[in-house]
């Protein structure tokens, strides 16, 4: 039949994100394009035991649950935030979602009408840009530097565009890896509070903070989330999202949104309409793993961070090769990505085509950018093992050299 | 802060569905309001063993998977449809979703713009009405009788409203339990093909068909799905949705949409934007259970059907009591619900209030209806055990008597 898709459905297909992912998943490509954690570090045996125990113990583990998610896991989370981050989440202020992407999508659906203005860091998360475009938002970039968004530019954009929302990732922005300074966090929060701008704070990478560079480097500094900074006044200007995908295992598809009761209540209603609820079985597995078994999330994250830091350093070493001499990047102190400027005149999509032919993929900067971004690429260092990383970077160096040698 | 929700977000809260569900889940109420399967029949020990095996075997069981879902489970499904229902699904024509509700929501998002007309059976699924309202669709009811939609009225509504889509549940409609005749199936399909109307066929209840009433009754007759009827011509007018929630376990949150490559491709792009993917772990558990263990889905469904049929008969017996003498219903041959007309003058929401006070809940007909429906109630017989069913119906009889005795 002749399908008549909805007006904005085409925004989904116009993005090359889907085809890059399909290509990288379906072949023997080495992928530096993804946002995957290292699967060799998954707590396999503890989870296998947990699953067997939880399912055997109680038939209700397989029944429908609550749309807002399994209560004891929500309680565990708020307890962890209180203990670890000093955040007091209100009762009814947490919704469990299918990863942080669903939190973004649900919020967009209940908060954004076509034509509404939304501020974003630029570059920003490709998944967030997709959800906004599907919702018909007008996306307004805000300039930043190594310390985060520039308050002056934020103020200008707020005055000029009267936005409803700001999407921000203050700790290890995807893709640029930037860690906002404490001062910037406070300034951005203050500006948004003054202007009734809702902040969506993605803290998916916040726990992945490494050692400082240099011998005997101490752990990277940590700053409170915007959610924690506002917490005292309970103003509800921050929706705090994150997930267990980067810290435990993505296939459990468990993320969260935390905010005021009013906002979470509306998102819960949207959640019920969208899919009734995420898997309460997976949520019970996580709760049992975190609360009952010997698994210690902080220790586990420390192990991840040591390994990711090693992989990052290896990638950085490989970027010192001649092929990359006119490229540029700042070494992040956490997260999963290196954000690299290509040598002048080399376009990311052109390089991607050549790299794919050689058997390696990366994410072209265009997908993370409101406009432009074509001279940047995002390289993931968390998923490829060290050998794979070495081979992948060799292949990419070859591809880059072919272009730079020509010019 | 002062939130400015999107224009249609209020449609989510205006529905009393959420609050009824919250009340029934949070208290000691006996609920005849839900769509829950009987948890005492879940294949607990096989699933516990499966989970342990699958997670131990392969770290990729915990990694991100494909947005369209775990390939071997999609293959198992298409194999099962070919073998059991004579349906040949095209390659790339299946998407795994978080239950059938997500299939409905994703389709609505890629196919419906505000103001588009959508035809529905009346009464129909509350979850579908919610998704359509959130999308801004104009919902047009089509009349039906005990054999399904009335082709003449369907033709009239198509001519008058030029709808894009028809939502239908030909096998044991939620809530009315109607099984469309083969002739009606063919007529409705033909009309929709002629008029380029996309049919969303919800087959969530199709496998729950019981014995005919009467001693030694044979199994209820089965008819091919609309999806199977069109299959030969591959016209792509039917999107076939269903799930394992009613036949294996809801907490695995695994449903599907099957249709043409073009339609499924667009829905997969929307799926990726909405939550990347459902839990591939749960999909692997299902696949292992269905394909590797001793579990036999057809045998399991036969066990469910025997028990559900017994519960249905019990409920029907209880409806013969004096309290219900001016009410009316048709005994369904499958599904999960009895759809009961209340004695004249008794409103479902009024009765609900009285019933909740006594400790029993049901679904008022208004939630299943485009308009009206206030003299009907939906009673679920699959979830309450026999004792609970007896107690619940006693309490409801009391509530009904209080009203009818008064008038």
């Amino acid at each position: 039949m002749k399908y008549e898709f909805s007006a904005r459905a085409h925004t989904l297909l116009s993005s090359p994100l889907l085809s890059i992912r399909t290509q990288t998943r379906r072949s023997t490509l080495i992928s530096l394009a993804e946002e995957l954690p290292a699967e060799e570090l998954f707590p396999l045996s503890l989870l296998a035991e947990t699953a067997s125990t939880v399912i055997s113990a109680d038939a209700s583990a397989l029944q429908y649950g609550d749309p807002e998610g399994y209560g004891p896991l929500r309680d565990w989370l708020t307890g962890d935030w209180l203990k670890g981050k000093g955040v007091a989440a209100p009762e009814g202020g947490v919704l469990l979602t299918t990863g942080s992407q669903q939190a973004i999508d649900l919020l967009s659906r209940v908060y954004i009408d076509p034509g509404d203005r939304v501020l974003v860091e630029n570059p920003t998360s490709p998944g967030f840009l997709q959800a906004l475009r599907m919702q018909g938002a007008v996306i307004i970039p805000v300039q930043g530097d190594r310390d985060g968004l520039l308050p002056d530019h934020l103020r200008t954009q707020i005055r000029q565009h009267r936005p409803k929302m700001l999407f921000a990732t203050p700790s290890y922005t995807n893709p640029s890896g930037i860690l906002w300074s404490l001062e910037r966090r406070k300034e951005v929060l203050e500006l948004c509070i003054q202007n009734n701008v809702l902040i969506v704070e993605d803290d998916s990478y916040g726990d992945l903070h490494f050692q400082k560079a240099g011998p005997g480097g101490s752990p990277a500094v940590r700053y409170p989330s915007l959610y924690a900074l506002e917490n005292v006044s309970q103003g509800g200007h921050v929706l705090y999202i994150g997930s267990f995908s980067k810290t435990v295992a993505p296939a459990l598809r468990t993320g969260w949104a935390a905010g005021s009761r009013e906002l979470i209540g509306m998102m819960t209603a949207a959640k019920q309409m969208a899919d009734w609820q995420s898997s309460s079985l997976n949520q019970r597995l996580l709760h049992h793993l975190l609360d009952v078994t010997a698994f210690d999330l902080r220790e586990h994250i420390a192990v991840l961070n040591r390994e990711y830091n090693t992989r990052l350093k290896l990638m950085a070493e490989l970027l010192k090769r001649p092929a990359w001499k006119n490229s540029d990047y700042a070494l992040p102190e956490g997260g999963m990505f290196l954000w690299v400027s290509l040598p002048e005149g080399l376009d990311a999509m052109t390089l991607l085509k050549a790299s794919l032919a050689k058997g390696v993929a990366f994410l072209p900067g265009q997908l993370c950018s409101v406009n432009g971004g074509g001279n940047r690429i995002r390289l993931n260092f968390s998923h490829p093992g060290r050998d794979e990383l070495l081979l992948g970077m060799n292949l990419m160096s070859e591809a880059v050299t072919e272009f730079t040698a020509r010019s």
Side-chain angles (χ1 to χ4, degrees), chain A:
Chain A
M1 75 174 282
K2 195 188 160 313
Y3 296 117
E4 299 165 44
F5 291 108
S6 61
R8 284 187 305 276
H10 71 275
T11 65
L12 298 167
L13 294 181
S14 64
S15 157
L17 197 58
L18 191 63
S19 73
I20 292 175
R21 282 175 198 273
T22 306
Q23 281 186 66
T24 57
R25 292 238 176 73
R26 295 271 164 82
S27 71
T28 55
L29 279 179
I30 292 176
S31 181
L32 311 174
E34 303 282 349
E35 309 181 13
L36 275 61
E39 57 224 29
E40 57 274 32
L41 300 176
F42 290 153
L44 278 196
S45 60
L46 273 176
L47 257 173
E49 202 182 302
T50 290
S52 174
T53 306
V54 167
I55 297 174
S56 308
D58 184 359
S60 59
L62 295 174
Q63 187 56 281
Y64 285 104
D66 292 326
E68 53 270 54
Y70 185 56
L73 182 59
R74 285 182 285 126
D75 292 344
W76 187 93
L77 270 172
T78 54
D80 185 61
W81 294 337
L82 187 62
K83 201 173 54 189
K85 300 172 185 179
V87 182
E91 173 84 24
V94 180
L95 169 68
L96 300 180
T97 56
T98 303
S100 57
Q101 181 67 24
Q102 190 182 42
I104 289 168
D105 184 45
L106 292 175
L107 190 271
S108 300
R109 295 177 81 179
V110 302
Y111 214 71
I112 300 298
D113 280 314
D116 281 348
R117 272 86 58 200
V118 176
L119 302 175
V120 298
E121 291 174 280
N122 195 27
T124 189
S125 147
F128 186 66
L129 290 174
Q130 254 192 343
L132 284 181
R133 286 183 181 128
M134 182 66 179
Q135 208 56 28
V138 177
I139 304 172
I140 316 276
V142 183
Q143 291 163 16
D145 63 14
R146 293 306 303 169
D147 288 322
L149 284 186
L150 292 166
D152 283 347
H153 192 238
L154 176 60
R155 191 178 294 109
T156 305
Q157 295 294 59
I158 288 176
R159 284 198 186 138
Q160 191 172 337
H161 298 287
R162 312 305 313 167
K164 282 180 87 170
M165 197 160 99
L166 163 69
F167 179 74
T169 312
S171 295
Y172 313 119
T173 307
N174 172 8
S176 61
I178 288 172
L179 179 71
W180 294 15
S181 70
L182 182 59
E183 196 186 339
R184 287 290 172 82
R185 288 169 191 246
K186 289 178 177 169
E187 286 175 317
V188 167
L189 180 61
E190 190 55 37
L191 272 169
C192 288
I193 289 174
Q194 280 165 8
N195 293 281
N196 209 52
V197 174
L198 177 66
I199 301 174
V200 181
E201 178 180 31
D202 181 4
D203 198 28
S204 298
Y205 309 97
D207 283 324
L208 303 178
H209 63 283
F210 310 154
Q211 299 293 112
K212 291 263 191 199
S218 55
V221 65
R222 300 196 72 170
Y223 300 116
S225 62
L226 304 181
Y227 178 61
L229 283 173
E230 200 206 18
N231 200 51
V232 181
S233 63
Q234 297 289 351
H237 290 84
V238 183
L239 183 79
Y240 180 72
I241 67 177
S243 95
F244 289 104
S245 295
K246 315 302 188 216
T247 53
V248 182
L252 297 170
R253 306 304 298 118
T254 303
W256 64 77
S260 71
R261 279 175 67 98
E262 184 185 359
L263 192 55
I264 293 298
M266 187 62 96
M267 290 178 68
T268 303
K271 168 80 181 157
Q272 173 172 284
M273 182 270 304
D275 63 11
W276 293 123
Q277 59 210 241
S278 298
S279 170
S280 59
L281 175 61
N282 290 349
Q283 294 164 9
R284 280 171 189 253
L285 297 188
L286 268 168
H287 177 255
H288 187 92
L289 179 78
L290 294 163
D291 204 50
V292 179
T293 72
F295 183 79
D296 182 314
L297 182 60
R298 297 296 143 209
E299 275 178 27
H300 182 70
I301 289 171
V303 172
L304 295 181
N305 285 340
R306 273 196 296 277
E307 179 60 24
Y308 290 174
N309 196 21
T310 304
R311 294 181 190 189
L312 168 63
K313 297 289 154 54
L314 175 59
M315 187 175 263
E317 275 305 307
L318 296 166
L319 283 170
K320 290 178 182 163
R321 292 185 175 180
W324 301 92
K325 71 169 186 265
N326 293 314
S327 62
D328 191 29
Y329 63 91
L331 203 66
E333 289 169 16
M336 290 184 152
F337 310 113
L338 254 178
W339 181 238
V340 181
S341 295
L342 294 174
E344 208 180 305
L346 180 49
D347 175 72
M349 292 301 281
T350 312
L351 180 64
L352 179 63
K353 214 172 154 184
S355 299
L356 287 172
K358 289 184 183 297
V360 60
F362 60 84
L363 200 78
Q366 284 94 336
L367 300 192
C368 308
S369 302
V370 181
N371 42 44
N375 71 325
R376 298 274 202 156
I377 61 175
R378 190 190 78 179
L379 300 176
N380 167 259
F381 56 80
S382 61
H383 184 246
R386 297 178 199 183
D387 290 349
E388 215 182 1
L389 218 157
L390 188 63
L391 180 56
M393 290 301 289
N394 280 344
L395 295 171
M396 281 207 58
S397 296
E398 278 177 29
V400 171
T401 305
E402 281 171 21
F403 286 100
T404 49
R406 234 182 270 162
S407 62

